[in-house]
Amino acid sequence: MNHQSVAFKNTQFPFPPHLHHSTPIPSRLLFPFSLHPNKTITKSPYPAFSCRGFHTPLLNHPSSSFHSSNATKPAAVKTVDVATLGNLCVDIVLNVPKLPPPSPDSRKAFMERLSSSPPDKQYWEAGGNCNMAIAAARLGLKCVAIGHVGNEIYGKFLEDVLQAEGIGMVGMSEETDVLNAPSSSYETLLCWVLVDPLQKHGFCSRADFSKEPAFSWMNTLSEEVKRAIKRSRILFCNGYDFDELSPHMIISAVEHAVEVGTSVFFDPGPRGKSLLSGTVEEQKALKHFLRMSDVLLLTSDEAESLTGLVDPILAGQELLWKGNRTKWVVVKMGPKGSILITKSGITCASAFKVKIMDTVGCGDSFVAAIAYGFIHNIPLVTTLAFANAVGAATAMGCGAGRNVATLKQVVELMETPDLNEDDKFWNELLREHLDSQEVTFLSKMVLNGSNGRMKHVTLQKVVSELLPKLKSSQLEGTLIKFMKVVIFANKIPSDTSM
């Protein structure tokens, strides 16, 4: 589970109701796409992904009219933009007088006491890969969450949250699993996030106390999961998938994605370092990801841990050239900004200057925008600027899950943008790379043309091109949502071509 998917700013009530966006705008950004999935109805006119425990309709629609030269040539019609693999969990944020002792036994006993009775729902939030899926859906991408949730209150909570956000769901299960594992192995994963009076925090989850993945009873990909991957343009995976799924299952999903022309995005996260020294199977799966992913996304520290190189650009280039399919390596530089490395050049963008309330969920929001740029073949510098803006918009709020940035908030930020430029940092970082590759840099100042191998693109130019389309998409999404409400309220069969 993603231990970075929680917030704990308010010591009395970590997730105030007014911060939950109960009516997100399911808009379609820049180019025409189909409607997002609606709430489940008994007699649906639409085909659906189905699995044990839930049934979420997905609307048919023609593939996007905008051709992407980045995505692998599809082997089938792609009706979904992003599918996330695993890492579906519920974060429960609680204030405690003091954190539990660090010993595993003490933490496990503390967690079991917490689990004895469910806390109030005001402390629940969708976590893990739900963050990325929600952020992407709010940008207008059609998303499906592939994973396992239990048939209990927490699983129902996740289903309801994802459905309300317009995100389809495909369950991972096996016909024979009931006979081979205890009932607790099928329960929704919970991440207990404990916050003490000094705002220090600790985490407890049952996955922390087992040598086996939480859902180790899964051995094969179901046909439903394979179809979901086949219909998706991107399969997003992260390092926390290894807490739930066996390395064999994860490799199977990646290999199937490659086979059916689905691009693979991989964000190793903090688990990347531990996987390097993990079991033989984990090490093999990590190496497979690094070779077969189309896009790698990681922080500068994570890039260093995987390559041993301190320079984030050199580390990114190392990962790029060792990959069999790698097209982009995106390095997140925190408050400095971000870097996108391809075999033909280096693109850099400073972060947006905003008042930061909470950085939880920023990385997930950033990844969602990168996925958007990749799918629609947006210029690299515009993609980075957009991703930085979406991440910054989330940082201005409190928490992840339903609290990640909406399209409206991203538009508001880009209407009055400002960059957190650090010329000294970027000059030192880029100095040794200007002689080897062309560098494109997002600048606040208006500069004419290029300076040697440094190509400057102004923030004003990027915003002026992107903002009108964002506003148009925002309005379009609002109108579509209104029409859908009217159609279903009157029980009129909708036209899927709308």
Side-chain angles (χ1 to χ4, degrees), residues 226-339:
K226 288 181 178 180
R227 283 195 292 270
I229 293 174
K230 185 175 182 178
R231 294 178 65 182
S232 301
R233 294 180 175 87
I234 289 173
L235 176 68
F236 174 73
C237 311
N238 66 22
Y240 291 107
D241 287 340
F242 289 86
D243 290 342
E244 298 183 3
L245 306 175
S246 68
H248 167 74
M249 281 288 289
I250 295 172
I251 289 177
S252 295
V254 173
E255 289 180 341
H256 183 68
V258 172
E259 179 184 347
V260 298
T262 296
S263 299
V264 177
F265 275 44
F266 179 54
D267 185 341
R271 287 285 274 119
K273 187 174 183 179
S274 63
L275 292 172
L276 276 177
S277 57
T279 66
V280 174
E281 291 78 12
E282 288 176 336
Q283 293 179 41
K284 179 182 176 182
L286 176 62
K287 291 178 181 178
H288 191 73
F289 261 127
L290 298 180
R291 288 197 310 270
M292 303 307 292
S293 295
D294 295 82
V295 177
L296 294 172
L297 307 110
L298 58 175
T299 67
S300 56
D301 289 340
E302 292 159 4
E304 180 181 352
S305 69
L306 292 178
T307 63
L309 299 172
V310 177
D311 186 320
I313 294 177
L314 292 178
Q317 291 172 335
E318 176 86 359
L319 293 168
L320 184 72
W321 288 104
K322 284 187 174 181
N324 292 351
R325 294 162 45 87
T326 313
K327 300 175 178 65
W328 296 359
V329 176
V330 183
V331 183
K332 297 171 279 187
M333 304 295 293
K336 300 296 184 184
S338 55
I339 305 169

Side-chain angles (χ1 to χ4, degrees), residues 469-488:
K469 297 172 183 176
L470 294 178
K471 289 183 176 180
S472 175
S473 181
Q474 182 183 354
L475 176 61
E476 179 187 6
T478 303
L479 292 174
I480 290 172
K481 183 176 180 180
F482 174 76
M483 292 171 66
K484 287 166 65 179
V485 170
V486 171
I487 289 171
F488 282 97

Side-chain angles (χ1 to χ4, degrees), residues 28-99:
R28 302 174 292 177
L29 191 56
L30 295 185
F31 299 97
F33 293 97
S34 73
L35 307 178
H36 287 296
N38 294 283
K39 290 182 177 293
T40 303
I41 54 179
T42 304
K43 296 182 180 179
S44 173
Y46 312 117
F49 288 137
S50 63
C51 57
R52 185 182 61 184
F54 47 76
H55 177 88
T56 303
L58 293 176
L59 303 182
N60 281 331
H61 66 96
S63 56
S64 170
S65 60
F66 190 89
H67 173 70
S68 169
S69 61
N70 288 322
T72 306
K73 184 178 180 180
V77 175
K78 302 294 186 180
T79 57
V80 175
D81 293 311
V82 178
T84 62
L85 179 69
N87 192 214
L88 303 179
C89 64
V90 176
D91 291 331
I92 301 178
V93 186
L94 297 176
N95 295 291
V96 295
K98 62 178 182 180
L99 298 179

Side-chain angles (χ1 to χ4, degrees), residues 282-449:
E282 288 176 336
Q283 293 179 41
K284 179 182 176 182
L286 176 62
K287 291 178 181 178
H288 191 73
F289 261 127
L290 298 180
R291 288 197 310 270
M292 303 307 292
S293 295
D294 295 82
V295 177
L296 294 172
L297 307 110
L298 58 175
T299 67
S300 56
D301 289 340
E302 292 159 4
E304 180 181 352
S305 69
L306 292 178
T307 63
L309 299 172
V310 177
D311 186 320
I313 294 177
L314 292 178
Q317 291 172 335
E318 176 86 359
L319 293 168
L320 184 72
W321 288 104
K322 284 187 174 181
N324 292 351
R325 294 162 45 87
T326 313
K327 300 175 178 65
W328 296 359
V329 176
V330 183
V331 183
K332 297 171 279 187
M333 304 295 293
K336 300 296 184 184
S338 55
I339 305 169
L340 198 160
I341 302 160
T342 68
K343 291 182 179 179
S344 60
I346 303 164
T347 305
C348 305
S350 296
F352 282 77
K353 186 182 294 184
V354 297
K355 183 178 179 180
I356 297 175
M357 294 294 293
D358 193 344
T359 59
V360 173
C362 294
D364 301 301
S365 300
F366 177 92
V367 171
I370 292 292
Y372 181 87
F374 182 88
I375 288 172
H376 297 303
N377 201 26
I378 293 175
L380 300 186
V381 68
T382 304
T383 295
L384 272 191
F386 183 44
N388 287 349
V390 176
T394 290
M396 296 169 68
C398 180
R402 291 165 292 177
N403 301 305
V404 299
T406 63
L407 181 58
K408 179 177 183 292
Q409 291 168 320
V410 176
V411 168
E412 290 173 350
L413 173 61
M414 298 198 74
E415 285 178 328
T416 56
D418 192 12
L419 292 181
N420 184 31
E421 290 188 314
D422 187 336
D423 293 338
K424 180 180 179 181
F425 168 80
W426 288 110
N427 287 336
E428 291 178 356
L429 179 63
L430 296 172
R431 183 180 298 120
E432 297 181 2
H433 301 283
L434 290 175
D435 293 334
S436 59
Q437 282 189 302
E438 182 175 277
V439 176
T440 302
F441 192 81
L442 181 69
S443 300
K444 185 191 306 184
M445 302 295 293
V446 177
L447 299 171
N448 295 321

Side-chain angles (χ1 to χ4, degrees), residues 66-288:
F66 190 89
H67 173 70
S68 169
S69 61
N70 288 322
T72 306
K73 184 178 180 180
V77 175
K78 302 294 186 180
T79 57
V80 175
D81 293 311
V82 178
T84 62
L85 179 69
N87 192 214
L88 303 179
C89 64
V90 176
D91 291 331
I92 301 178
V93 186
L94 297 176
N95 295 291
V96 295
K98 62 178 182 180
L99 298 179
S103 70
D105 290 342
S106 298
R107 288 173 56 239
K108 185 177 182 180
F110 195 94
M111 183 191 71
E112 289 174 348
R113 289 197 298 272
L114 292 174
S115 303
S116 61
S117 61
D120 192 283
K121 279 191 177 181
Q122 65 184 5
Y123 303 115
W124 302 11
E125 191 49 75
N129 271 343
C130 297
N131 298 325
M132 191 277 189
I134 292 172
R138 291 182 176 184
L139 297 181
L141 297 180
K142 184 171 183 178
C143 302
V144 168
I146 301 172
H148 175 78
V149 297
N151 187 24
E152 17 67 348
I153 56 175
Y154 298 112
K156 184 62 166 59
F157 169 76
L158 278 185
E159 291 176 33
D160 290 343
V161 168
L162 293 176
Q163 193 174 71
E165 295 287 341
I167 298 168
M169 198 165 179
V170 179
M172 302 182 75
S173 62
E174 293 187 6
E175 293 299 325
T176 59
D177 54 15
V178 176
L179 302 176
N180 300 325
S183 59
S184 61
S185 299
Y186 299 92
E187 295 174 355
T188 305
L189 275 182
L190 306 181
C191 179
W192 298 86
V193 185
L194 310 175
V195 188
D196 71 9
L198 298 178
Q199 296 298 295
K200 294 181 180 179
H201 57 277
F203 305 98
C204 292
S205 168
R206 78 170 190 265
D208 300 336
F209 308 105
S210 173
K211 294 182 180 180
E212 296 293 324
F215 305 139
S216 57
W217 45 265
M218 290 188 201
N219 296 307
T220 58
L221 296 178
S222 68
E223 291 304 314
E224 288 86 359
V225 169
K226 288 181 178 180
R227 283 195 292 270
I229 293 174
K230 185 175 182 178
R231 294 178 65 182
S232 301
R233 294 180 175 87
I234 289 173
L235 176 68
F236 174 73
C237 311
N238 66 22
Y240 291 107
D241 287 340
F242 289 86
D243 290 342
E244 298 183 3
L245 306 175
S246 68
H248 167 74
M249 281 288 289
I250 295 172
I251 289 177
S252 295
V254 173
E255 289 180 341
H256 183 68
V258 172
E259 179 184 347
V260 298
T262 296
S263 299
V264 177
F265 275 44
F266 179 54
D267 185 341
R271 287 285 274 119
K273 187 174 183 179
S274 63
L275 292 172
L276 276 177
S277 57
T279 66
V280 174
E281 291 78 12
E282 288 176 336
Q283 293 179 41
K284 179 182 176 182
L286 176 62
K287 291 178 181 178
H288 191 73

